[in-house]
Structures are given as C-alpha cells and as structure tokens.
Amino acid sequence: QVQLVDTGGGLVQPGGSLRLSCAASGGTFSRYAMAWFRQAPGKDRDFVASISTSGADTYYRDSVKGRFTISRDNAKNTVYLQMNSLKPEDTAVYYCAAEFTGWPTSLSNRYDAWGQGTQVTVSS
C-alpha cells in the first residue's frame, strides 16, 4: 500500500518562499505520476502542478506558473514543490498525490493515493 507524507508547510510573509516535500513508501515511486493539489477553506481541491514519471514533463495551473516548481528525486522516492513569490491567495492545505498509471493529469479523481496535507499560510 502506497503511503505519502507531506511536509514543509508553514507561515510565510507575502513574497516569501517555501519548499514542500512528499515522501512515498510502499510502492514503486518511479512508475507514478505525481502532483500537488491545494484546498482553501470553503473551496474545492484545485490542481497546482504535476510531473511525469521521469520528471521530464511538468504542468502547472496558470496562477502559479513562473513562481512554483515541481520536481522529483526517484532515488529518494520524494516529490517537491518549490514555491516562490508567495501571495495570500496561495494560502491553503497542500496535498501531494500519486497516479499509478503514470499519467500526470490535472484531474484529482484520477489520483490513487494522497498525502495527509500540509498547511501553507501566506500572511503579513
């Protein structure tokens, strides 16, 4: 059974940076597409970024392009989300997710395993 553990959230001022990590265990990490989603209070869970099995292909929602970078280290079974130039509207619980067929889709209902979430708060 695949388990994902999200870490790295916290409180940061606008314009600041955070790096989220998601460590996977119990499966073959290199076969999975990985993604980050986020959910703000009272809102739906939204796609943030995804990455292919090799890491060669990445995809982002428009509002984070140029500010966020998704990456992975298959040797460490870990996916990262580097978040720069953070804005108050980035405040949410961030979740990593694994898609077992290797398709880095933006559709949350395609993902097979989820982390527990990590809170990111951007506020002065």
Side-chain angles (χ1 to χ4, degrees), residues 18-101:
L18 281 175
R19 188 194 197 201
L20 306 184
S21 299
C22 172
S25 61
T28 308
F29 180 77
S30 61
R31 294 182 180 177
Y32 308 149
M34 299 297 296
W36 290 94
F37 291 80
R38 67 187 183 187
Q39 188 167 21
K43 296 189 176 181
D44 293 335
R45 188 171 297 188
D46 290 333
F47 171 78
V48 176
S50 63
I51 188 166
S52 61
T53 55
S54 67
D57 298 307
T58 57
Y59 306 89
Y60 299 92
R61 68 180 296 112
D62 286 346
S63 62
V64 308
K65 286 180 181 177
R67 300 190 297 123
F68 290 11
T69 302
I70 188 171
S71 61
R72 66 190 296 161
D73 185 338
N74 286 345
K76 295 183 178 180
N77 290 352
T78 302
V79 63
Y80 305 97
L81 186 67
Q82 177 67 44
M83 304 186 294
N84 299 328
S85 302
L86 282 160
K87 304 175 180 180
E89 52 263 42
D90 295 317
T91 295
V93 178
Y94 283 70
Y95 299 88
C96 73
E99 201 282 346
F100 292 169
T101 70

Side-chain angles (χ1 to χ4, degrees), residues 2-23:
V2 176
Q3 292 188 325
L4 304 176
V5 178
D6 309 322
T7 57
L11 173 64
V12 63
Q13 292 186 343
S17 298
L18 281 175
R19 188 194 197 201
L20 306 184
S21 299
C22 172

